[in-house]
């Protein structure tokens, strides 16, 4: 089997699988073949990499020595990159080591000679593999097969010189396992093992870094950690490996290789962690107790508080603490995770060796673990023992035994057994103290329970007591107890008691069982089991016979049943009888009732019925027994007429007295009342009402009068009932004034009406007049109405005056008194046309004022409209929103509509100077075709169907002057990104006297004009335009007279832009008198190509000459003269394809070039060369000007600072 190995100075970030798998050699895995162990030396700062089964790589950091198995003792091929060589070293014991070192002899480790073996080269199929990067070493080599292949003394760790390797910082690489190229050489793993391997693969990213190499053999494997190795059998149950050890797995060929991408991503994260986290120092353990300890550690080197700023990224470092109680290389368990630098270890086992190590972690990626530190917890008192167990018993002895508890690091010296001596709740006493784990107690009472507890003791202290356990001695079966005795029997319960058997001792525990048998049952059923001598059996049936027997039992057995006790439960009280009902007619002095027996007699016969009666409807009424006997019917007599009685029934049996039935109310018949006294008048009679009063009749029957009836007889001999009610007085209304009436009264109760009283004669007084008839209204004109009326009845007195109230119909509730006198007519004047009016009339005599007549309404006829009161002219700022015409030739009139006086307004007449204009029914009108700056006199009148109303008051209005005309718009100058526009004549006197403002607008992409300038200037430059594009403009003049019209739309176009300036060209001299000039390239401009013009100035000539024109950016010139100064400059030229025009940009700064002869330079020539260099280093004219400007600016700032300083002082 071949295993791919690589040793590098740094951990590779991406390790994809090889392009081609290497076939497994049979003699590599055959343990019977001749094999030899060869050590691969991994120096500090290097990483030994083995390809795993899933295509990823496992990295082992140096310093370490990895034992590998070599078939047939052959030297493994070592593939090294340029600059490295491999060498084989064999010591005195015959062990050979393979070392990869740089070619420089001074870089060899001091522990090895500098002998160099022949260099091996990469095989062809791995020559271009990405794993073989620079400064890496690859090898194909099998690991050691198992224990015994190599002596332990070969597993030594070499510490190299700190001057070469001391400054290197090593960070382990995660998630690697061994790789097997062909799995068909092995048996298929069981299903359970596959599941365990899948779970282990899920947890690899959270596992510590692996520094161990395993041989994938079904029975055993070899473990190496930092140069120390230890063999383990496959069945070893050591609870896991040491720090950084993981179980190696084989992946089935049919399983997906999805781990390759995850491994690559995880390699990148591991590289970042390697750059951030150095190794953690060994933690410290303090305050070690039996079950607790305090662990502290320091953050990784150079990280205060766990954070380090590296490459601009802030990392937050957290820590995980792993604990092992299986030794240094045992299985570690994560017990703490957080950002603190200490951890309280709790729940430890006393006298136990522990190993602890700490990991630094960023997100879910762990750094390298610290070196494990070991400590041993202190010893303490033993654990609490289990309760003792009963091994043998008799009537007088008990034998107990127990197991030894955990001693917690100190041997148990004695046991303490305590008991309660058979006395319950009386405390414990010592019954045994010694080293033995059993005890026999004698001279005990038979059939008695004893409570025990146990404690263990060592040199540290005494443990807690175990749980209490009760053990019983043997005894005799109890004798037959006596029959239970009846204490008391209830309706649903029976209380019985019994005595303790005489043969039983007081200390013996006796349990009693009480059995019960019902009437129709032949089997006894247990009802109670316990140690008490009394029992109350509940939930029984009433008036039922039950049988009881008793059985005694102890730990030895159960006695025979006792004699039978027969007892019966008591009967219950009966239920209430039914509600009494009336039989026969009810008289004024009595009635008959009956009732039914109760539905539930309580288990016994009814002995007696009771009928109770109560007078009145109050709850506080007293009940008296009207009947007592066995009958269910009774007649009540000698009662009071017209009285309400309540009756109820109850019954009595041997079970007790039942509840009463529901109440039955019964009222006796009443007797009619006697004759009343004649009614009498209270006070003086009025003109429309009389108040009467009377007394109640005298009656011996005791019946209450319910109501009274008053009868009235009118003069026309008409009789009517005017009152019916319970009161002893009434008021009779709606009578006629000055009329005589007759009244009489009678009483009414449940027995009927009594006789009428004697007649009382009463005369009413005189009253005010009656209601007048509605007055008659006659329209005389639109402002005058005639009112006529007739007089009402006098009601016993003559009418003294009439009152007429008048008002508008909409205000009928607020009528005003307009006339008061004895006449029967009145004329209303000064009324409004087309208005609704209403009136009413009232008559008055000596008795008072009579009621008002019905309300009468009328309407005055219509008339011409009223005068237009509010006529005004709209100002100019409001005119623009209504009229599109200029206010110079029109006037906008507004007015309020007057009252139409009952006829709708048809039109308006506008009087403008000598002209009359008729308009429709509107409230606004525009008078057009007027002269500018002219005053006019205007008035208006309204016209309806009746006629024309009066004219309004006259107002004066003046038209505005004409707004200015737009100026002529011209383009003064056009550029590639701007247009300068001008208009008008700025020197004109006409415009100098006027305050004109111009509004310049431009058309956008949506064909809409938007303003870009507003002001008095006559020029404006439009910037930020696009080259060679047409733009449309229009202009408008604005003055105090308003905004003038817009000008015609003018269209102007921008020009094409010239190419930008180019930097100074670069000149390079070739052999001979030839040089090459190069310059920067300018991109094409809006599709137009760019060509270049190169000019040269030779010597002292005053004009530049063109030497090149074309699209290239380089040009070579030959035939130059030595020691002659040449100045080169270049410009870009835009060739317009549409117009065939060429637009040249500015020339670049000139560059000076002086060709030299290619001759060996002498001492004097060196000076000339330096002079030429100094000349080329001289600044150009532009640079010299810039230096002068900067100098002056600096000097000005300096003087300003000095002046400010002294003036401030």
């Amino acid at each position: 089997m071949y295993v791919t190995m690589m040793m590098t100075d740094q951990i590779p970030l991406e390790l994809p699988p090889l392009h081609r798998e290497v076939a497994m050699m049979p003699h590599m895995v055959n343990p019977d073949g001749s094999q030899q162990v060869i050590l691969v030396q991994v120096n500090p700062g290097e990483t030994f990499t083995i390809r795993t089964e899933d295509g990823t790589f496992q990295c082992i950091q140096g310093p370490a020595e990895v034992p590998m198995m070599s078939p047939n003792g052959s030297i493994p091929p070592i593939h090294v990159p340029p600059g490295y060589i491999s060498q084989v070293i064999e010591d005195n014991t015959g062990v050979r080591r393979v070392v990869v070192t740089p070619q420089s002899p001074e870089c060899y480790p001091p522990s090895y000679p500098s002998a160099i073996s022949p260099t091996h080269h990469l095989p062809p199929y791995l020559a271009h593999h990405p794993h073989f990067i620079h400064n890496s070493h690859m090898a194909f080599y099998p690991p050691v097969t198992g224990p015994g292949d190599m002596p332990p003394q070969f597993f030594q760790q070499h510490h190299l010189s700190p001057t070469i390797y001391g400054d290197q910082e090593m960070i382990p690489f995660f998630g690697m396992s061994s790789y097997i190229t062909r799995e068909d050489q092995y048996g298929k793993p069981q299903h359970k093992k596959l599941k365990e391997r899948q779970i282990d693969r899920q947890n690899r990213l959270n596992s510590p870094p692996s520094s161990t190499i395993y041989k994938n053999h079904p029975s055993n494997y070899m473990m190496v950690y930092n140069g120390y190795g230890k063999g383990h059998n496959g069945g070893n149950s050591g609870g896991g490996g040491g720090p950084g050890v993981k179980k190696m797995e084989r992946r089935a060929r049919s399983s997906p290789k999805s781990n390759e991408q995850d491994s690559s991503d995880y390699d990148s994260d591991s590289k970042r962690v390697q750059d951030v986290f150095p190794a953690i120092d060994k933690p410290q353990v303090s305050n070690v107790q039996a079950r607790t300890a305090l662990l502290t550690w320091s953050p990784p080197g150079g990280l205060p508080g766990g954070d380090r700023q590296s490459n601009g990224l802030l990392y937050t470092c957290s820590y995980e603490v792993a604990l092992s109680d299986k030794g240094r290389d045992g299985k570690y368990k994560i017990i703490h995770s957080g950002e603190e630098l200490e951890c309280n270890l709790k729940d430890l086992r006393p006298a136990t060796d522990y190993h602890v190590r700490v990991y630094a972690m960023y997100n879910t990626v762990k750094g390298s673990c610290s070196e494990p530190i070991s400590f041993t917890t202190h010893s303490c008192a033993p654990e609490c023992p289990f309760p003792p167990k009963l091994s043998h018993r008799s009537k007088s002895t008990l034998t107990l035994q127990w197991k030894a508890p955990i001693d917690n690091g100190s041997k148990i010296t004695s046991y303490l057994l305590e008991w309660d001596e058979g006395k319950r709740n009386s405390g414990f006493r010592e019954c045994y103290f010694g080293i033995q784990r059993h005890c026999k107690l004698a001279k005990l009472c038979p059939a008695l329970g004893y409570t025990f507890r146990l404690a263990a003791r060592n040199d540290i202290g005494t443990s807690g007591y175990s749980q209490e356990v009760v053990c019983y001695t043997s005894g005799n079966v109890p004798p037959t107890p006596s029959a239970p005795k009846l204490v008391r029997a209830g309706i649903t319960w029976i209380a019985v008691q019994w005595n303790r058997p005489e043969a039983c001792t007081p200390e013996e525990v006796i349990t009693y069982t009480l059995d019960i048998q019902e009437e129709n049952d032949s089997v006894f059923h247990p009802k109670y089991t316990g140690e008490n001598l009394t029992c109350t059996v509940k939930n029984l049936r009433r008036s039922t016979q039950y049988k009881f027997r008793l059985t005694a039992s102890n730990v030895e057995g159960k006695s025979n049943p006792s004699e039978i006790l027969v007892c019966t439960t008591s009967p219950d009280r009966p239920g209430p009888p039914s509600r009494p009902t009336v039989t026969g007619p009810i008289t004024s002095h009595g009635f008959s009732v009956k009732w039914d027996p109760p539905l539930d007699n309580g288990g016994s016969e009814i002995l007696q019925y009771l009928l109770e009666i109560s007078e009145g409807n109050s709850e506080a009424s007293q009940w008296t027994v009207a009947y007592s006997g066995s009958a269910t019917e009774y007649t009540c007599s000698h009662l009071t007429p017209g009285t309400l009685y309540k009756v109820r029934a109850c019954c009595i049996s041997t079970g007790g007295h039942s509840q009463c039935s529901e109440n039955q109310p019964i009222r006796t018949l009443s007797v009619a009342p006697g004759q009343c006294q004649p009614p009498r008048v209270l006070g003086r009679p009025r003109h429309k009402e009389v108040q009467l009063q009377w007394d109640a009749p005298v009656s011996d029957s005791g019946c209450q009068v319910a109501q009274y009836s008053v009868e009235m007889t009118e003069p026309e001999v008409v009789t009517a009932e005017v009152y019916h009610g319970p009161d002893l007085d009434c008021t009779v209304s709606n009578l006629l004034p000055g009329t005589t009436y007759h009244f009489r009264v009678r009483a009414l109760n449940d027995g009927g009406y009594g006789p009428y009283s004697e007649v009382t004669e009463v005369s009413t007084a005189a009253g005010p007049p009656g209601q007048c008839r509605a007055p008659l209204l006659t329209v005389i004109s639109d402002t005058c109405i005639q009112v006529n009326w007739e007089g009402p009845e006098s009601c016993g007195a003559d009418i003294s005056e009439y009152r007429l109230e008048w008002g508008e119909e909409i205000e009928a509730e607020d009528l005003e008194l307009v006339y008061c006198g004895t006449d029967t007519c009145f004329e209303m004047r000064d009324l409004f046309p087309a208005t609704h009016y209403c009136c009413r009339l009232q008559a008055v005599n000596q008795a008072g004022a009579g009621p008002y007549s019905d309300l009468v309404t009328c309407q005055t006829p219509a008339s011409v409209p009223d005068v237009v009161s509010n006529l005004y002219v709209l100002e100019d700022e409001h005119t623009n929103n209504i009229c599109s015409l200029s206010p110079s030739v029109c006037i906008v009139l507004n007015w309020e509509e007057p009252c139409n006086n009952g006829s709708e307004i048809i039109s308006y007449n506008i009087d403008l100077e000598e002209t009359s204009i008729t308009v429709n029914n509107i409230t606004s009108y525009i008078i057009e075709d007027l002269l500018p700056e002219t005053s006019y006199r205007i008035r208006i009148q309204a016209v309806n169907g009746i006629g024309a109303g009066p004219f309004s008051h006259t107002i004066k209005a003046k038209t505005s002057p004409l707004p200015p005309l737009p100026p002529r718009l011209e383009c003064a100058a056009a550029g590639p990104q701007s247009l300068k526009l001008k208009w008008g004549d700025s020197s004109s006197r006409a415009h100098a006297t006027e305050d004109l403002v111009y509004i310049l607008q431009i058309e956008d992409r949506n064909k809409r004009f938007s303003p870009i300038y507003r002001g008095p200037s006559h020029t404006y430059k439009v910037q930020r335009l696009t080259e060679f594009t047409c733009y449309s403009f229009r202009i408008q003049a604005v003055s105090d007279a308003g905004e003038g019209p817009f000008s015609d739309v003018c269209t102007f176009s921008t020009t094409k832009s010239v190419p930008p300036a180019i930097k100074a060209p670069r000149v390079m001299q070739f052999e001979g008198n030839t040089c090459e000039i190069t310059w920067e390239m300018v991109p094409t401009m809006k599709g137009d190509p760019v060509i270049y013009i190169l000019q040269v100035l030779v010597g002292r000539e005053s004009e530049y000459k063109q030497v090149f024109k074309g699209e290239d950016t380089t040009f070579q010139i030959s035939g130059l003269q030595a020691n002659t100064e040449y100045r080169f400059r270049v410009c870009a030229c835009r060739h317009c394809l549409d117009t065939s025009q060429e637009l040249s940009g500015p020339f670049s700064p000139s560059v000076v070039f002086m060709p030299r002869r290619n001759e060996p330079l002498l001492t004097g020539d060196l000076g000339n060369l330096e002079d030429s260099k100094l000349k080329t280093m001289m600044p150009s004219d532009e640079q010299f000007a810039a230096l002068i400007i900067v100098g002056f600016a600096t000097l000005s700032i300096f003087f300003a600072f000095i002046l400010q300083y002294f003036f401030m002082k």
Side-chain angles (χ1 to χ4, degrees), residues 558-732:
K558 183 185 296 185
S559 68
N560 295 324
S562 66
E563 296 181 359
I564 296 175
L565 170 66
V566 180
C567 55
T568 305
T569 55
S570 302
D572 196 1
R573 66 176 184 172
S578 65
R579 184 177 182 180
T581 58
V582 179
T583 59
I586 300 175
T587 63
S588 59
H589 296 89
F591 52 82
S592 298
V593 294
K594 69 174 182 178
W595 59 90
D596 296 330
L599 299 178
D600 183 13
N601 58 8
S604 61
E605 296 181 358
I606 304 299
L607 302 179
Q608 187 180 12
Y609 291 98
L610 298 178
L611 179 66
E612 298 179 352
I613 188 170
S614 174
E615 182 178 352
N617 196 21
S618 176
E619 296 294 337
S621 302
Q622 295 183 356
W623 293 86
T624 59
V625 178
Y627 168 75
S628 177
S630 59
T632 59
E633 186 176 359
Y634 180 71
T635 300
C636 299
S637 59
H638 306 289
L639 303 179
T640 303
T643 304
L644 178 65
Y645 292 92
K646 294 185 292 183
V647 293
R648 65 184 184 183
C650 63
C651 57
I652 301 174
S653 68
T654 56
H657 194 289
S658 72
Q659 295 181 353
C660 296
S661 66
E662 297 181 5
N663 299 335
Q664 176 64 49
I666 303 174
R667 183 182 294 274
T668 57
L669 299 180
S670 301
V671 180
Q675 186 179 13
C676 297
Q677 296 295 326
R680 56 186 180 275
V681 179
L682 291 179
R684 294 181 60 183
R686 299 182 181 181
H687 66 286
K688 285 189 176 183
E689 64 179 24
V690 174
Q691 189 173 4
L692 302 177
Q693 187 180 25
W694 59 90
D695 296 329
V698 179
S699 177
D700 296 334
S701 63
C703 297
Q704 299 293 331
V705 176
Q707 292 179 339
Y708 297 93
S709 176
V710 179
E711 187 181 67
M712 182 187 70
T713 303
E714 298 181 2
E716 289 82 5
V717 195
V718 177
T719 303
E721 185 181 33
V722 294
Y723 174 75
H724 188 89
D727 298 332
L728 295 175
D729 58 358
C730 71
T731 299
V732 183

Side-chain angles (χ1 to χ4, degrees), residues 857-873:
T857 61
C858 67
Q859 182 180 5
T860 55
S863 179
V864 295
D866 289 344
V867 63
V868 178
S869 60
N870 189 9
L871 177 64
Y872 58 94
V873 178

Side-chain angles (χ1 to χ4, degrees), residues 12 63 349 394 421 767 818 930 1101 1107 1149:
R349 294 195 302 271
S394 65
E421 297 180 343
V818 296
L930 301 180
E1101 295 180 0
V1107 296

Side-chain angles (χ1 to χ4, degrees), residues 989-1003:
R989 295 181 180 179
H991 293 290
T993 59
E994 299 180 3
D995 188 9
L996 295 180
V997 175
Y998 300 97
I999 300 176
L1000 179 64
Q1001 295 183 351
I1002 187 173
E1003 185 180 17

Side-chain angles (χ1 to χ4, degrees), residues 1-7 18 22 40 48-51 57 68 76-80 86 98 100 122-123 126 132 136-142:
M1 176 186 65
Y2 281 114
V3 178
T4 304
M5 298 174 291
M6 178 176 62
M7 289 188 294
L18 293 175
V22 182
V40 177
F48 184 72
T49 305
I50 301 177
R51 182 180 178 185
F57 283 77
M68 304 299 292
I78 302 299
H79 308 284
V80 296
S86 63
V98 178
V100 178
L122 290 172
L126 293 177
F132 298 97
S136 64
H137 317 296
M138 301 295 297
F140 298 93
Y141 211 47

Side-chain angles (χ1 to χ4, degrees), residues 513-516 525-529 535 537-540 548:
T513 301
L514 181 65
D515 298 334
I516 185 173
H525 301 280
K527 196 67 175 178
Y528 167 76
T529 300
C535 177
V537 183
K538 300 179 181 180
N539 299 326
L540 303 179
F548 296 92

